[in-house]
Amino acid sequence: MDFLDYIQLVFNDYTLRTITLGTAILGAVTGMLGSFAVLRKQSLLGDAISHAALPGIAIAFLITGAKDTNTLLIGALISGLIGTFWIRGIITKTHLKSDTALGLILSLFFGFGMLLLTFIQKQPNANQAGLDKYLFGQAATLVESDVWLMAIVTGLCLIVLLLFWKEFKLLLFDKDYAKTLGFNIKTIDVLITSFIVLAIVLGLQTVGVVLMSAMLLAPAAAARQWTNSLSRMVFLAALFGAFSGVFGTAISASQNNLSTGPVIVIVASVFVIVSFIFSPSRGLLFRQIRFIANRRDLEQKKTLAFMYHIAKTHDSISHPHTIKILNNFQGFTRKTLQKLVDKDYVTIDGTMWSLTQKGFDTASNLFNQQNKDDE
């Protein structure tokens, strides 16, 4: 199935349209909220919350005996919030760091959740089948009501971000200053964390407990490479998340036996890899290009300074010197010499070189600047 066929199917096929819209909205909201988790250096938060939600799903099923999606997600939300507040309590009441607290809650809740799932699987009740979809996700189970719920949560998230944008920025970059201004930091922290929990819980049905943290972090990590502005980062993260959902769904729909959730995560990871390599400001490629350019510039300056010290001992700066003098100089290369010629700093006559007035003045300025810096 090519891309045009997929576009036609999106408009004509109810199931595919629902899944595409659902994954796009999920990617957008998790990308937005994931930006705050990444900037607060709480990358494990999404992993801990998603795993902490598993016992809530199992307990909700044990209580109701039904696989109603809304009921199970309410159980996951309650369990996720409990896990989140336990993490906060461990950090504030003990000397343990946040990564230790996140790891403890993640392993504790996930282990308890797996124990409950094992217990449920052994019950003589056919209705228990299918709960394991929350481990790895099953996007095909999305229905229109799920998409509307995601859209409503995304809308609420946007409203809250716009209303408390200043407070969120202060919380991210200068918590102590926010306290001095009289802001209730604890309330703001609970608010943004609660929305992160809600977004993660909504994504469990699509991506699953195991992979949900990637949906929260990957778009934000990719967006961080392209900008230093929080507003642009949030926008780009939402965009990358939405595209990950759409492209992941398209790839999954075009092939047989490809789970949508893992494919979405792989697509999001591709955005991260591309951003890490090709971002103009932080990308590895452009960083290497800048490093090579800076090294060449340094070699040119060192060679020019060496020539300056030689020329300064003569009455005329244009006095010719043999190139052999440069051969034992560490910074000298033939390419460096040619660059100096191209810039009209040096003239070459056979095997002899001499400084131009422009080259002498430039080297003199560099030498004087170096002396000032040393002082």
Side-chain angles (χ1 to χ4, degrees), residues 285-297:
L285 176 63
F286 288 94
R287 185 184 300 175
Q288 186 64 23
I289 292 173
R290 286 193 296 271
F291 172 77
I292 294 173
N294 290 336
R295 185 173 63 184
R296 288 176 178 173
D297 186 56

Side-chain angles (χ1 to χ4, degrees), residues 254-325:
S254 63
Q255 303 294 327
N256 294 325
N257 301 321
L258 277 183
S259 298
T260 305
V263 176
I264 291 174
V265 171
I266 290 174
V267 173
S269 300
V270 170
F271 277 111
V272 174
I273 294 172
V274 170
S275 299
F276 280 0
I277 295 175
F278 296 105
S279 167
S281 57
R282 292 187 175 87
L284 297 177
L285 176 63
F286 288 94
R287 185 184 300 175
Q288 186 64 23
I289 292 173
R290 286 193 296 271
F291 172 77
I292 294 173
N294 290 336
R295 185 173 63 184
R296 288 176 178 173
D297 186 56
L298 180 61
E299 289 175 351
Q300 292 176 33
K301 289 179 178 179
K302 287 172 64 179
T303 304
L304 188 62
F306 183 73
M307 292 175 163
Y308 169 75
H309 286 294
I310 294 174
K312 205 167 56 166
T313 61
H314 296 78
D315 294 333
S316 173
I317 62 171
S318 61
H319 183 84
H321 302 278
T322 178
I323 292 177
K324 289 183 179 180
I325 296 177

Side-chain angles (χ1 to χ4, degrees), residues 160-299:
V160 170
L161 284 179
L162 291 174
L163 289 177
F164 297 96
W165 183 254
K166 178 175 65 177
E167 290 82 354
F168 289 152
K169 287 183 70 173
L170 285 173
L171 178 67
L172 283 175
F173 301 114
D174 201 336
K175 184 185 295 187
D176 294 332
Y177 179 60
K179 287 181 180 179
T180 61
L181 293 178
F183 291 110
N184 191 331
I185 296 300
K186 185 176 181 180
T187 302
I188 299 171
D189 188 19
V190 169
L191 182 64
I192 189 64
T193 304
S194 298
F195 269 94
I196 291 175
V197 174
L198 184 57
I200 289 173
V201 168
L202 286 177
L204 293 180
Q205 184 180 356
T206 306
V207 182
V209 166
V210 177
L211 299 174
M212 190 57 219
S213 62
M215 279 299 295
L216 188 73
L217 301 176
R224 183 67 183 93
Q225 303 304 306
W226 296 92
T227 181
N228 290 321
S229 167
L230 177 61
S231 57
R232 292 194 191 100
M233 179 180 172
V234 171
F235 175 76
L236 285 175
L239 204 62
F240 289 153
F243 279 132
S244 298
V246 173
F247 292 154
T249 304
I251 294 171
S252 176
S254 63
Q255 303 294 327
N256 294 325
N257 301 321
L258 277 183
S259 298
T260 305
V263 176
I264 291 174
V265 171
I266 290 174
V267 173
S269 300
V270 170
F271 277 111
V272 174
I273 294 172
V274 170
S275 299
F276 280 0
I277 295 175
F278 296 105
S279 167
S281 57
R282 292 187 175 87
L284 297 177
L285 176 63
F286 288 94
R287 185 184 300 175
Q288 186 64 23
I289 292 173
R290 286 193 296 271
F291 172 77
I292 294 173
N294 290 336
R295 185 173 63 184
R296 288 176 178 173
D297 186 56
L298 180 61
E299 289 175 351

